[in-house]
Amino acid sequence: MSVEKIRAVSEKIQERLPAVRGKGEEATKQALILPMLDALGYDIWNPSEVCPEFEADFALKKKGQAEKVDFAILIDGTPRIFVEAKAVDSSLDGHEGQLARYFNAVPSVALAILTNGLEYRFFTDTGDPNVMDSAPFHVVKLDAPDTDLEVMARFGRAVFAAEPIRDFATELTYTAKIAAFLRSELDLRDRDASENLVRWILGSAGMYEGRVTANVVDRFRPIVKNGLQRVIVEIVRRSVAAIDNEVSKPDAAAIQDAASAVAVRQAAETAGRVDPDPSETGRKVVTTERELEFFAIAREQFAGSPLASATIWDTSTRREVPAEVGYKDTTGYFAIYLNKPAFWALRVLSEGRTPWVGFNLKREVGLPLVPAEFKVLEPSAFAEFRVAVSGPGDLRALDRLVHLAFAQTVEEHRPKADGLEVATPSCSAPAVDHQA
């Protein structure tokens, strides 16, 4: 599954539109929707994976007939995605209800898709568990010039994972909501501060000693606005001064600061990725296709090992749950974990001068298992034991390390009551110096 394949299918779908318009929902499914599911890596010819007209045991009756979801996508026999289809000529507005009823009733489903073959709306549960959000966290329009097909690649068969999808959806949804909220509260060009903002400020510790009444709020609206404008001016002046300092001749203190910054960045480079410059703060984390390939191979290795049936202790529900492989991208590395990002097994740097994979292993445990053609890197803040790689395919040659790292993570998160201790595997093979 690749973005290029998705893009190629998207182009073919748009070419077919004149022949599909006006032909109804079934034509849309066959000519537009199923080809996209196929491009995402799902076996559309296998009804045990892409099940049409899915009807659950609890299906609600409507006018004497049970409601059905157009497609249920099952992974390893478990429903994970529901797809509700409409004709390509139809608007998708107002059609979330049935999809939400099914989503809310099937805890294993992590993604719901509403589509007319040209527009895809993606839903999940970023609020209460197993309660589908009323608004989609992402919308893809295949005919839009700026369509982000890279996002669709996250939902492919090879890399599908419930928690990363929820994390991604939460970030998209709440970043937009928080930005809109702050903009509405703090952009006071043509108005005074809102009552909520004034009450929040006056209610802060040590700010106002009296009772905050409606009259007090009205009196403080212009005062809060003036204070906010003063802060904004100070921030702008500080930013301009920083720019001026960069283009002016540096003094001794500036030279010392620059030298310190270089030292910090050089230290970060030993980990393979440099922290962003101050001017780059706020940079978005972009999960690349290459990183998803690392994830797909690692998950395949986990699924093919005896650990596939392992359980770990869920601290939030205080019970054992099946171990599931997920991923989380950061500015420092791409983490592959079990159930929670803190339960990491592998950390990957796929770009940079020296791509590497870090394993959740002690250095002395991993060294004997590294093939001679690979180089072991120095420990970093991200991983004590790291091996340089050229690409995702190298994970296959490092499969013993991958399996052992997953096993270590499983052992670390078994129930405390079991009294289990992680044993350091004994390896008869002599350690090889891979750093020469």
Side-chain angles (χ1 to χ4, degrees), residues 93-117:
D93 294 343
H95 290 291
E96 302 88 356
Q98 181 178 337
L99 193 59
R101 286 193 292 274
Y102 264 72
F103 182 100
N104 298 351
V106 183
S108 63
V109 173
L111 181 66
I113 303 173
L114 179 62
T115 180
N116 60 10

Side-chain angles (χ1 to χ4, degrees), residues 31-67:
L32 308 184
I33 297 173
L34 284 174
M36 182 57 74
L37 296 181
D38 180 62
L40 290 170
Y42 298 102
D43 187 354
I44 62 174
W45 308 109
N46 180 4
S48 65
E49 180 160 309
V50 179
C51 178
E53 298 298 312
F54 180 81
E55 180 180 330
D57 295 336
F58 54 82
L60 301 175
K61 297 289 184 180
K62 188 175 181 180
K63 295 182 180 179
Q65 294 184 338
E67 286 188 309

Side-chain angles (χ1 to χ4, degrees), residues 176-301:
K177 286 184 176 181
I178 291 170
F181 171 78
L182 292 175
R183 193 177 297 113
S184 68
E185 290 292 337
L186 303 182
D187 188 352
L188 305 179
R189 286 172 294 180
D190 304 316
R191 58 185 175 85
D192 285 332
S194 70
E195 179 178 348
N196 286 337
L197 180 61
V198 174
R199 286 186 179 277
W200 174 70
I201 291 174
L202 295 184
S204 300
M207 181 62 67
Y208 184 77
E209 297 181 359
R211 191 164 64 92
V212 181
T213 64
N215 288 335
V216 170
V217 170
D218 288 339
R219 190 167 80 250
F220 272 87
R221 286 181 194 270
I223 299 174
V224 168
K225 180 176 181 177
N226 290 338
L228 179 60
Q229 289 175 334
R230 179 182 297 180
V231 171
I232 292 174
V233 168
E234 291 173 356
I235 293 173
V236 171
R237 284 176 176 168
R238 192 161 59 241
S239 299
V240 171
I243 295 173
D244 289 341
N245 288 338
E246 288 186 6
V247 298
S248 62
K249 183 178 179 180
D251 56 20
I255 293 174
Q256 181 60 42
D257 290 343
S260 299
V262 169
V264 170
R265 291 177 67 80
Q266 286 176 339
E269 285 176 356
T270 64
R273 179 176 285 184
V274 180
D275 288 335
D277 289 329
S279 60
E280 296 175 343
T281 55
R283 179 182 61 182
K284 285 182 63 177
V285 174
V286 178
T287 301
T288 65
E289 186 174 351
R290 185 179 173 90
E291 288 171 328
L292 291 177
E293 288 178 16
F294 272 102
F295 172 72
I297 293 173
R299 188 171 70 169
E300 176 187 305
Q301 291 170 305

Side-chain angles (χ1 to χ4, degrees), residues 148 150-151 154 168 171 273 283-292 327-331 333-334 350-351:
D148 190 357
E150 286 77 7
V151 171
R154 290 172 175 260
F168 177 65
E171 180 181 347
R273 179 176 285 184
R283 179 182 61 182
K284 285 182 63 177
V285 174
V286 178
T287 301
T288 65
E289 186 174 351
R290 185 179 173 90
E291 288 171 328
L292 291 177
Y327 66 84
K328 184 174 182 62
D329 205 358
T330 73
T331 56
Y333 53 80
F334 178 80
S350 63
E351 309 296 337

Side-chain angles (χ1 to χ4, degrees), residues 122 126 136-139 148 151 154-155 164-179 284-285:
F122 298 95
T126 62
F137 66 85
H138 191 67
V139 176
D148 190 357
V151 171
R154 290 172 175 260
F155 312 133
I165 287 175
R166 290 190 179 99
D167 289 344
F168 177 65
T170 300
E171 180 181 347
L172 285 183
T173 300
Y174 288 96
T175 297
K177 286 184 176 181
I178 291 170
K284 285 182 63 177
V285 174

